[in-house]
Amino acid sequence: MAPNYSVKDLIPLTGSDAKIPRIGYGVYKSTDCRAAVLTALSMGYRHIDTAQFYKNEAEVGEAIKISGISRKEIYVVTKIQYPVENSVEKTLESIRESVQRIDPGEEDRKGYVDLFLVHTPASGREGREVLWRALELLKMEGGTVDIGVSNYGIEHLFQMETYTSINPVCNQIEVHPFCQQREVIDLCKSKGIAITAYAPIARNTRSENPTLVTIGEKHGRHPTQVMIKWSLQKGYFPLPKSDNPDRMRANMDMDGWELTEEEMTEIERLDEGQGGAVCPYPLNCP
Ligand SMILES: NC(=O)c1ccc[n+]([C@@H]2O[C@H](COP(=O)([O-])OP(=O)(O)OC[C@H]3O[C@@H](n4cnc5c(N)ncnc54)[C@H](OP(=O)(O)O)[C@@H]3O)[C@@H](O)[C@H]2O)c1
């Protein structure tokens, strides 16, 4: 029998008491973010991925409030890109504001996010340390349950060992069949760092690929669904984004079917390394 891959499955994170819903919903370039998140929540999505850079944290927060779903049932992720004036205190202020926008809290409950990430390693060694110290402080004061990183390559992860007192629970990177990121993922696995997979359907640019089309036909599924299923069977947490309700539904229709070992192997052969990235990111920037 095919294993259960429901959008509401909760998977434990190493180094945390929290559990993360297996499939996320990304809101980068969402055209009407508040409406889209409301639709996603009504369909069953429980993991929303936003960022300061997307300029829609407040809309995510409004949608969560209006949905009437208990805050603790929804897993919200946001990110900060650069430190503020290289100051831990000012950076902490900025990330507190993000929390305020997403979840201002209630009379008897302090607001929080579930996961706060360093969006990119692009601020350099010193900047990354400032960002991490601010995130550690936010976690200690209860503004976020967990902290993690995004777009971090091998060197950035090793370097973190010199300044972290709290380990990252996840590394959010571009992963899909054409950009499989094997080396950095192997390192993350060895360190107990979960992989959240952004652009999991390569922004729908590879849906004509004959291997994916053939596999999809065997299962009566669209190639993008095959890509999401591959991600899940690899143990990643994919974050597909769609503004379209039919595609949102298709992206979470992962239950009751499974890719065979042979199909997984065929998909492994599609890897094009960094050349296959749709969002080329300097995982090796200094
Ligand atoms: N950490 C980072 O640096 C980073 C970078 C990029 C993205 N992300 C996160 O990851 C999320 C997803 O990545 P992404 O938005 O770049 O790419 P994606 O999810 O791979 O692709 C989104 C694109 O595919 C289309 N689409 C969605 N479902 C489809 C389906 N079933 N069939 C055909 N087309 C479909 C969408 O159009 P419609 O909306 O019209 O359906 C949209 O144009 C983002 O929203 C964001 O939360 C993080």
Side-chain angles (χ1 to χ4, degrees):
M1 205 167 91
N4 185 16
Y5 283 108
S6 158
V7 78
K8 287 188 185 167
D9 287 347
L10 294 172
I11 312 295
L13 283 169
T14 305
S16 168
D17 295 333
K19 291 182 175 173
I20 183 170
R22 203 195 283 275
I23 304 172
Y25 177 71
V27 297
Y28 177 47
K29 292 199 171 166
S30 182
T31 44
D32 181 349
C33 180
R34 194 172 83 149
V37 172
L38 266 174
T39 306
L41 291 172
S42 73
M43 284 180 185
Y45 283 95
R46 288 293 180 268
H47 170 173
I48 310 294
D49 183 81
T50 181
Q52 289 188 343
F53 177 68
Y54 306 166
K55 305 233 175 299
N56 54 21
E57 289 172 313
E59 290 172 75
V60 169
E62 285 164 29
I64 291 171
K65 191 157 190 213
I66 297 166
S67 75
I69 299 167
S70 160
R71 172 67 189 86
K72 60 179 186 298
E73 280 183 39
I74 302 174
Y75 193 94
V76 194
V77 186
T78 193
K79 320 178 189 83
I80 179 166
Q81 200 150 6
Y82 292 106
V84 180
E85 295 172 31
N86 247 12
S87 147
V88 173
E89 199 41 55
K90 287 183 178 165
T91 304
L92 178 59
E93 225 13 80
S94 166
I95 58 184
R96 281 182 185 139
E97 283 165 16
S98 280
V99 175
Q100 243 338 83
R101 284 190 285 273
I102 292 169
D103 178 11
E106 289 159 44
E107 258 176 36
D108 55 346
R109 183 184 68 74
K110 188 174 150 58
Y112 69 97
V113 298
D114 295 275
L115 180 59
F116 215 123
L117 307 179
V118 176
H119 200 147
T120 84
S123 54
R125 160 76 176 75
E126 202 187 330
R128 291 192 288 274
E129 181 167 347
V130 170
L131 285 162
W132 195 254
R133 295 216 179 289
L135 286 181
E136 287 182 332
L137 291 172
L138 184 75
K139 177 174 161 66
M140 285 187 255
E141 68 186 32
T144 183
V145 178
D146 282 309
I147 55 180
V149 294
S150 176
N151 294 301
Y152 270 39
I154 289 173
E155 290 308 315
H156 308 127
L157 292 166
F158 276 127
Q159 200 176 66
M160 284 188 89
E161 291 172 0
T162 64
Y163 60 80
T164 47
S165 53
I166 301 172
N167 290 328
V169 298
C170 100
N171 188 11
Q172 183 181 123
I173 51 177
E174 175 173 350
V175 193
H176 50 73
F178 303 94
C179 178
Q180 298 190 19
Q181 309 272 25
R182 292 188 182 123
E183 288 179 1
V184 69
I185 289 177
D186 282 348
L187 177 66
C188 288
K189 271 191 193 154
S190 73
K191 288 173 164 291
I193 300 173
I195 299 296
T196 51
Y198 76 69
I201 57 172
R203 297 189 173 152
N204 193 32
T205 56
R206 308 301 290 262
S207 301
E208 316 280 302
N209 177 271
T211 303
L212 296 180
V213 170
T214 307
I215 294 174
E217 279 168 357
K218 283 191 204 149
H219 293 275
R221 310 282 161 162
H222 192 269
T224 50
Q225 292 177 296
V226 174
M227 293 170 89
I228 296 172
K229 192 67 179 200
W230 172 83
S231 191
L232 290 168
Q233 288 185 214
K234 292 292 287 182
Y236 312 145
F237 300 95
L239 309 167
K241 174 264 170 188
S242 177
D243 281 340
N244 173 296
D246 290 337
R247 293 196 282 273
M248 285 160 80
R249 213 169 276 113
N251 294 345
M252 58 181 266
D253 173 22
M254 294 294 134
D255 206 3
W257 61 290
E258 196 182 12
L259 300 173
T260 63
E261 260 178 54
E262 293 72 29
E263 289 166 342
M264 289 295 283
T265 307
E266 275 182 72
I267 297 173
E268 301 289 308
R269 293 196 195 105
L270 299 179
D271 192 15
E272 297 172 5
Q274 281 308 304
V278 290
C279 184
Y281 214 86
L283 288 197
N284 55 0
C285 72

PDB file of all heavy atoms in Angstrom, residues 163-177:
ATOM      1  N   TYR A 163      30.139  29.901  15.345  1.00  0.00           N
ATOM      2  CA  TYR A 163      29.435  30.981  16.048  1.00  0.00           C
ATOM      3  C   TYR A 163      28.028  30.631  16.560  1.00  0.00           C
ATOM      4  O   TYR A 163      27.362  31.463  17.148  1.00  0.00           O
ATOM      5  CB  TYR A 163      29.381  32.256  15.195  1.00  0.00           C
ATOM      6  CG  TYR A 163      28.680  32.130  13.838  1.00  0.00           C
ATOM      7  CD1 TYR A 163      27.290  32.158  13.748  1.00  0.00           C
ATOM      8  CD2 TYR A 163      29.409  32.027  12.663  1.00  0.00           C
ATOM      9  CE1 TYR A 163      26.663  32.071  12.513  1.00  0.00           C
ATOM     10  CE2 TYR A 163      28.786  31.950  11.423  1.00  0.00           C
ATOM     11  CZ  TYR A 163      27.413  31.967  11.353  1.00  0.00           C
ATOM     12  OH  TYR A 163      26.787  31.875  10.143  1.00  0.00           O
ATOM     13  N   THR A 164      27.572  29.410  16.335  1.00  0.00           N
ATOM     14  CA  THR A 164      26.201  29.103  16.767  1.00  0.00           C
ATOM     15  C   THR A 164      26.165  28.538  18.181  1.00  0.00           C
ATOM     16  O   THR A 164      27.026  27.740  18.559  1.00  0.00           O
ATOM     17  CB  THR A 164      25.542  28.042  15.860  1.00  0.00           C
ATOM     18  OG1 THR A 164      26.467  26.980  15.694  1.00  0.00           O
ATOM     19  CG2 THR A 164      25.132  28.585  14.537  1.00  0.00           C
ATOM     20  N   SER A 165      25.175  28.944  18.945  1.00  0.00           N
ATOM     21  CA  SER A 165      24.914  28.180  20.170  1.00  0.00           C
ATOM     22  C   SER A 165      23.646  27.360  19.985  1.00  0.00           C
ATOM     23  O   SER A 165      23.369  26.440  20.732  1.00  0.00           O
ATOM     24  CB  SER A 165      24.833  29.093  21.393  1.00  0.00           C
ATOM     25  OG  SER A 165      23.918  30.125  21.178  1.00  0.00           O
ATOM     26  N   ILE A 166      22.866  27.699  18.944  1.00  0.00           N
ATOM     27  CA  ILE A 166      21.678  26.894  18.592  1.00  0.00           C
ATOM     28  C   ILE A 166      21.865  26.465  17.138  1.00  0.00           C
ATOM     29  O   ILE A 166      22.178  27.291  16.276  1.00  0.00           O
ATOM     30  CB  ILE A 166      20.385  27.733  18.718  1.00  0.00           C
ATOM     31  CG1 ILE A 166      20.222  28.255  20.148  1.00  0.00           C
ATOM     32  CG2 ILE A 166      19.162  26.920  18.295  1.00  0.00           C
ATOM     33  CD1 ILE A 166      19.078  29.248  20.332  1.00  0.00           C
ATOM     34  N   ASN A 167      21.679  25.176  16.865  1.00  0.00           N
ATOM     35  CA  ASN A 167      21.875  24.686  15.499  1.00  0.00           C
ATOM     36  C   ASN A 167      20.659  24.987  14.621  1.00  0.00           C
ATOM     37  O   ASN A 167      19.530  24.991  15.109  1.00  0.00           O
ATOM     38  CB  ASN A 167      22.104  23.172  15.500  1.00  0.00           C
ATOM     39  CG  ASN A 167      23.432  22.836  16.103  1.00  0.00           C
ATOM     40  OD1 ASN A 167      24.386  23.604  15.988  1.00  0.00           O
ATOM     41  ND2 ASN A 167      23.493  21.699  16.775  1.00  0.00           N
ATOM     42  N   PRO A 168      20.871  25.196  13.315  1.00  0.00           N
ATOM     43  CA  PRO A 168      19.724  25.402  12.418  1.00  0.00           C
ATOM     44  C   PRO A 168      18.937  24.098  12.275  1.00  0.00           C
ATOM     45  O   PRO A 168      19.536  23.029  12.183  1.00  0.00           O
ATOM     46  CB  PRO A 168      20.377  25.777  11.082  1.00  0.00           C
ATOM     47  CG  PRO A 168      21.771  25.244  11.145  1.00  0.00           C
ATOM     48  CD  PRO A 168      22.164  25.220  12.593  1.00  0.00           C
ATOM     49  N   VAL A 169      17.600  24.204  12.257  1.00  0.00           N
ATOM     50  CA  VAL A 169      16.803  22.978  12.067  1.00  0.00           C
ATOM     51  C   VAL A 169      16.596  22.679  10.595  1.00  0.00           C
ATOM     52  O   VAL A 169      16.232  21.566  10.242  1.00  0.00           O
ATOM     53  CB  VAL A 169      15.419  23.025  12.773  1.00  0.00           C
ATOM     54  CG1 VAL A 169      15.567  23.152  14.270  1.00  0.00           C
ATOM     55  CG2 VAL A 169      14.519  24.101  12.200  1.00  0.00           C
ATOM     56  N   CYS A 170      16.769  23.707   9.731  1.00  0.00           N
ATOM     57  CA  CYS A 170      16.548  23.420   8.315  1.00  0.00           C
ATOM     58  C   CYS A 170      17.396  24.317   7.433  1.00  0.00           C
ATOM     59  O   CYS A 170      17.860  25.378   7.869  1.00  0.00           O
ATOM     60  CB  CYS A 170      15.060  23.538   7.980  1.00  0.00           C
ATOM     61  SG  CYS A 170      14.581  25.059   7.223  1.00  0.00           S
ATOM     62  N   ASN A 171      17.597  23.861   6.210  1.00  0.00           N
ATOM     63  CA  ASN A 171      18.228  24.664   5.168  1.00  0.00           C
ATOM     64  C   ASN A 171      17.235  24.650   4.009  1.00  0.00           C
ATOM     65  O   ASN A 171      16.922  23.594   3.457  1.00  0.00           O
ATOM     66  CB  ASN A 171      19.568  24.042   4.740  1.00  0.00           C
ATOM     67  CG  ASN A 171      20.372  24.936   3.802  1.00  0.00           C
ATOM     68  OD1 ASN A 171      20.047  26.116   3.619  1.00  0.00           O
ATOM     69  ND2 ASN A 171      21.424  24.384   3.216  1.00  0.00           N
ATOM     70  N   GLN A 172      16.711  25.835   3.676  1.00  0.00           N
ATOM     71  CA  GLN A 172      15.736  25.914   2.562  1.00  0.00           C
ATOM     72  C   GLN A 172      16.513  26.234   1.290  1.00  0.00           C
ATOM     73  O   GLN A 172      17.117  27.312   1.187  1.00  0.00           O
ATOM     74  CB  GLN A 172      14.687  26.996   2.850  1.00  0.00           C
ATOM     75  CG  GLN A 172      13.640  27.040   1.756  1.00  0.00           C
ATOM     76  CD  GLN A 172      12.575  28.108   1.953  1.00  0.00           C
ATOM     77  OE1 GLN A 172      12.373  28.961   1.092  1.00  0.00           O
ATOM     78  NE2 GLN A 172      11.892  28.080   3.078  1.00  0.00           N
ATOM     79  N   ILE A 173      16.495  25.311   0.346  1.00  0.00           N
ATOM     80  CA  ILE A 173      17.276  25.499  -0.888  1.00  0.00           C
ATOM     81  C   ILE A 173      16.443  25.083  -2.095  1.00  0.00           C
ATOM     82  O   ILE A 173      15.429  24.390  -1.943  1.00  0.00           O
ATOM     83  CB  ILE A 173      18.587  24.665  -0.858  1.00  0.00           C
ATOM     84  CG1 ILE A 173      18.309  23.194  -0.502  1.00  0.00           C
ATOM     85  CG2 ILE A 173      19.591  25.259   0.105  1.00  0.00           C
ATOM     86  CD1 ILE A 173      19.547  22.320  -0.531  1.00  0.00           C
ATOM     87  N   GLU A 174      16.899  25.514  -3.266  1.00  0.00           N
ATOM     88  CA  GLU A 174      16.210  25.059  -4.483  1.00  0.00           C
ATOM     89  C   GLU A 174      16.543  23.589  -4.705  1.00  0.00           C
ATOM     90  O   GLU A 174      17.704  23.218  -4.825  1.00  0.00           O
ATOM     91  CB  GLU A 174      16.668  25.890  -5.698  1.00  0.00           C
ATOM     92  CG  GLU A 174      16.056  25.351  -6.986  1.00  0.00           C
ATOM     93  CD  GLU A 174      16.322  26.217  -8.213  1.00  0.00           C
ATOM     94  OE1 GLU A 174      16.827  27.347  -8.073  1.00  0.00           O
ATOM     95  OE2 GLU A 174      15.991  25.733  -9.318  1.00  0.00           O
ATOM     96  N   VAL A 175      15.518  22.765  -4.718  1.00  0.00           N
ATOM     97  CA  VAL A 175      15.709  21.337  -5.015  1.00  0.00           C
ATOM     98  C   VAL A 175      14.555  20.841  -5.863  1.00  0.00           C
ATOM     99  O   VAL A 175      13.382  21.035  -5.510  1.00  0.00           O
ATOM    100  CB  VAL A 175      15.695  20.441  -3.739  1.00  0.00           C
ATOM    101  CG1 VAL A 175      16.215  19.046  -4.091  1.00  0.00           C
ATOM    102  CG2 VAL A 175      16.472  21.002  -2.599  1.00  0.00           C
ATOM    103  N   HIS A 176      14.889  20.226  -6.967  1.00  0.00           N
ATOM    104  CA  HIS A 176      13.911  19.535  -7.817  1.00  0.00           C
ATOM    105  C   HIS A 176      14.704  18.585  -8.699  1.00  0.00           C
ATOM    106  O   HIS A 176      15.953  18.577  -8.644  1.00  0.00           O
ATOM    107  CB  HIS A 176      13.069  20.554  -8.610  1.00  0.00           C
ATOM    108  CG  HIS A 176      13.870  21.589  -9.320  1.00  0.00           C
ATOM    109  ND1 HIS A 176      14.610  21.316 -10.450  1.00  0.00           N
ATOM    110  CD2 HIS A 176      14.102  22.903  -9.039  1.00  0.00           C
ATOM    111  CE1 HIS A 176      15.242  22.413 -10.850  1.00  0.00           C
ATOM    112  NE2 HIS A 176      14.963  23.404  -9.996  1.00  0.00           N
ATOM    113  N   PRO A 177      14.058  17.786  -9.526  1.00  0.00           N
ATOM    114  CA  PRO A 177      14.805  16.766 -10.275  1.00  0.00           C
ATOM    115  C   PRO A 177      15.948  17.314 -11.124  1.00  0.00           C
ATOM    116  O   PRO A 177      16.920  16.603 -11.386  1.00  0.00           O
ATOM    117  CB  PRO A 177      13.728  16.118 -11.145  1.00  0.00           C
ATOM    118  CG  PRO A 177      12.482  16.249 -10.328  1.00  0.00           C
ATOM    119  CD  PRO A 177      12.600  17.590  -9.661  1.00  0.00           C
TER     120      PRO A 177
END
